[in-house]
Amino acid sequence: MSEPTAYEQTGTPEEVPVCPRHPDRVSYVRCQRCGRPVCTECQRPAAVGVQCVDCVREGAKSVRQGRTIFGGDVAAVGGRPLVTMTIIGICALVFLGQMASPRVTNEVAFVPYLGDTEPWRFLTSAFAHSPQQILHILFNMYALWIMGGYLEPMLGRARFAALYLITAFGGSVVYLLLAFPHTVDELNRGDFGAWETPAVGASGAVFGLFGAFLILQRRLGRSAATMYATIGINAVIGFVIPGIAWQAHLGGFLVGLACAAVFAYLGKRPEAGGTQRASFAIHWIALAAITAVLVVLVVAKYFLTTSPI
């Protein structure tokens, strides 16, 4: 009786171990986790032996993803800043719309006397720029690209998006708080002040990123000397050059400091033995509280202010 060759199967079909994902392939190697036969294509190295593709995928679901000190996904560090790129893309599309029709600017710009009836302007203004000044959008997008590329991987996409939106909102809120309806004398002079002056631009949110950068760098023990100079120069420009909403810059910066303090100093809880475990859910509670305070300030401002229009 001749022995079977290497290309022949022995036994009945039920006795021949075949790979579940490739039934036409015989395999005498089994997955160390589930015990099923696994062919060479489906084998994945494990601590002991091999595992099949399905078990590796299932095991990955139960493994806690690595997080940065501020709650960002470690796997995303070094990847593309998708939120930053999306914001830049939206700003570019809105700018093209503004170039095509002045109505776009009129509908999205933040104007204090319209904020109570058209509240979307508090945020939409952060995605629009002056159509007469190309350098306005170019500077803001460059600053956003630099800061976003650094902060987004550190914070994670969701936290970075929240930081941008809340600081943009904060910039509009402070612009509102420092604006007042014109008096009779101002009306006679044709000076309507900030109350009726539209404001557009991502500058408030960008200054928010500047503020966040200072806090996070301090938390990491890194130098932020160059950022102090950048903020100082831009602050001076805001007061020297007319037509710049320095109020929005100030508001975004202050709110950025507050949001970054949440990321930097909240998110740890003590455990037995004096150790600490990361718990980042508090971040969202604190960010919601900051947003709520801003909303209360807006409501109070409109409640206490009587507009002549």
Side-chain angles (χ1 to χ4, degrees), residues 32-57:
Q32 295 298 311
R33 185 172 182 178
C34 66
R36 296 180 301 175
V38 54
C39 68
T40 55
E41 184 178 340
C42 297
Q43 293 175 12
R44 298 294 183 268
V48 178
V50 297
Q51 291 186 5
C52 64
V53 176
D54 296 328
C55 286
V56 170
R57 185 182 297 113

Side-chain angles (χ1 to χ4, degrees), residues 191-217:
D191 180 11
F192 299 103
W195 189 254
E196 297 178 32
T197 302
V200 293
S203 303
V206 168
F207 266 79
L209 301 184
F210 289 165
F213 177 84
L214 295 180
I215 297 295
L216 299 183
Q217 288 293 93

